[in-house]
Amino acid sequence: MSSTTEYNFADWYRPVDSQLTAETQAFRITAIRELLDTDDMDFWLDIIRMYWGLPVVSEDSRKEFIKAFKDADPVFPVSGNDHLLQVLAGILICFQLEEDFHLNISIGLAIKSINFLGQYEIASNIPVLSNATTFLSEQSAILRETNLEEQRTEITDLTNRSEVPGYAFVAADNSVLTTAVNSLLQSQKVFSEETNILWWLFGEASQTYEQPLKAIGLPKAIPIIANEIFDIIEFSLSNRKIDAIINKAISNCIQSKGSEKAYSPVDMISKFEGSEITSILNGFKPETEFTPILTAFSRFITTGKSSDWTNIYASEFNGGDLKKTFQPSALASQILQELFLLHNLR
């Protein structure tokens, strides 16, 4: 089966093999197809780590990955091949995101979340990040799609048939009815969520703190906004819509003209006490590089808020700089994304 990713394989692979042959390409794609839809999220998190040049958590993931290529190609190099594995990991992710697979949303969120602080660099023309971003936007549109008119037509047609004397329901009718009802329920859920978001926005107040967002102020309100949006929405809206919601909520926090400026994660986290952070973490226990900001909140607690807690974090997560500044909307969007990722992983 041909695909956009398969079409681009040679261009993505040539940095590690400028003399790529059709036979070698066939071997590599055979191995990739063997690995597709591996039903183990820990495996995919390790594949993402390999793409970013990070150590895997489970050596079994690396062995399974290499074995697939070795089985397809007996002369596949099994050592001294880190750059090759990095490229193949990126290509595998792109292939996977083209499949209809229940773990793809988690995979996409993990790809988008991991490098928010920008400490990981990779010299690659493989569009892993852009493909993940496109995939998530498309999935968001699908999950929030409402086709009420189509479903109303289906139900009307079914009703008309059922009123014909002697007509008996068949399996196909049951399928149509089930699909229509499920679609209507999904539409109702979407409308309910969006109505709740609007009431929340126009209320200009935190439900958690029961006070105006302006009274809380920036940067403390940033994670509160992300958390309360997460409590309302089951899955992220498209980037444009969620950005508009976040920007409106941020504007509700501004206490005076010019007070909206860039903040670092440290600026934001240091505004919280330990008990308050518990509500920000929303019951999750973030401990990985895939949730850099929420994990920083967690580390702030576990290190006892010592003066060098940011250095402890940096040493653990490849030099992640928590003093790097971002616009409030970017921080809120990242925290919301991390919450969605943790929700999907759980």
Side-chain angles (χ1 to χ4, degrees):
M1 181 180 68
S2 181
S3 68
T4 302
T5 302
E6 188 168 333
Y7 178 81
N8 289 301
F9 181 94
D11 289 337
W12 296 343
Y13 190 82
R14 282 200 180 96
V16 292
D17 185 357
S18 60
Q19 305 300 317
L20 176 66
T21 64
E23 181 183 44
T24 298
Q25 178 168 332
F27 286 153
R28 300 294 182 264
I29 291 177
T30 296
I32 284 171
R33 295 209 177 281
E34 282 295 312
L35 291 166
L36 291 178
D37 297 351
T38 297
D39 200 9
D40 180 358
M41 192 59 207
D42 289 336
F43 169 82
W44 288 109
L45 292 178
D46 274 336
I47 294 301
I48 296 168
R49 290 184 178 101
M50 288 172 63
Y51 170 69
W52 286 106
L54 303 175
V56 296
V57 168
S58 171
E59 193 60 32
D60 288 343
S61 300
R62 183 183 176 89
K63 289 178 181 176
E64 181 180 351
F65 185 68
I66 292 174
K67 182 179 183 300
F69 291 98
K70 185 67 175 174
D71 287 348
D73 179 6
V75 298
F76 181 81
V78 295
S79 61
N81 60 353
D82 287 348
H83 189 202
L84 172 59
L85 296 181
Q86 190 175 32
V87 167
L88 288 172
I91 295 174
L92 172 59
I93 292 167
C94 289
F95 267 81
Q96 183 58 69
L97 291 175
E98 288 188 344
E99 300 293 308
D100 182 13
F101 183 46
H102 71 105
L103 293 180
N104 274 1
I105 289 176
S106 296
I107 292 170
L109 288 169
I111 292 164
K112 281 199 68 181
S113 295
I114 189 171
N115 200 35
F116 180 70
L117 296 176
Q119 70 266 47
Y120 309 124
E121 295 183 8
I122 183 167
S124 170
N125 62 341
I126 306 171
V128 172
L129 181 57
S130 62
N131 283 12
T133 301
T134 299
F135 168 78
L136 290 171
S137 294
E138 290 172 350
Q139 287 300 302
S140 178
I142 290 169
L143 286 170
R144 306 194 73 81
E145 186 179 51
T146 57
N147 49 358
L148 295 179
E149 191 60 38
E150 178 184 336
Q151 298 310 323
R152 185 169 67 177
T153 301
E154 292 278 7
I155 292 173
T156 300
D157 290 345
L158 183 57
T159 301
N160 291 339
R161 290 198 301 275
S162 69
E163 291 174 349
V164 175
Y167 183 83
F169 268 72
V170 295
D173 293 329
N174 289 327
S175 177
V176 167
L177 184 59
T178 299
T179 300
V181 170
N182 285 340
S183 181
L184 290 171
L185 290 172
Q186 176 68 10
S187 297
Q188 176 61 33
K189 186 169 189 176
V190 168
F191 290 140
S192 176
E193 286 185 355
E194 294 182 357
T195 299
N196 290 338
I197 277 287
L198 288 174
W199 278 115
W200 176 76
L201 276 177
F202 286 110
E204 301 186 4
S206 164
Q207 296 177 346
T208 305
Y209 284 78
E210 297 182 339
Q211 58 179 306
L213 289 170
K214 188 172 290 187
I216 298 171
L218 298 174
K220 185 173 184 177
I222 294 171
I224 296 171
I225 287 169
N227 203 281
E228 294 189 3
I229 293 174
F230 172 74
D231 285 340
I232 296 171
I233 300 177
E234 180 173 312
F235 183 72
S236 178
L237 292 155
S238 66
N239 289 344
R240 186 172 61 181
K241 288 183 178 179
I242 203 67
D243 286 348
I245 291 169
I246 289 173
N247 286 333
K248 170 59 180 170
I250 293 293
S251 71
N252 291 340
C253 304
I254 298 175
Q255 297 169 330
S256 60
K257 187 175 180 180
S259 63
E260 183 183 0
K261 61 179 183 179
Y263 295 97
S264 71
V266 170
D267 294 333
M268 177 177 63
I269 295 169
S270 62
K271 296 292 184 181
F272 288 84
E273 297 296 327
S275 58
E276 293 178 310
I277 291 177
T278 302
S279 65
I280 295 299
L281 297 180
N282 214 300
F284 299 116
K285 295 181 179 179
E287 296 291 332
T288 76
E289 62 272 60
F290 293 102
T291 53
I293 305 303
L294 292 179
T295 297
F297 269 102
S298 180
R299 288 295 181 274
F300 183 60
I301 298 174
T302 57
T303 56
K305 298 180 282 189
S306 61
S307 59
D308 62 345
W309 75 277
T310 56
N311 294 327
I312 295 172
Y313 178 94
S315 66
E316 187 175 0
F317 294 106
N318 292 66
D321 183 7
L322 293 175
K323 296 180 181 178
K324 184 176 181 179
T325 59
F326 302 88
Q327 289 300 310
S329 57
L331 283 167
S333 180
Q334 173 67 17
I335 294 169
L336 179 60
Q337 186 171 269
E338 291 180 21
L339 288 168
F340 281 127
L341 172 59
L342 290 170
H343 172 72
N344 276 272
L345 293 179
R346 185 169 64 179

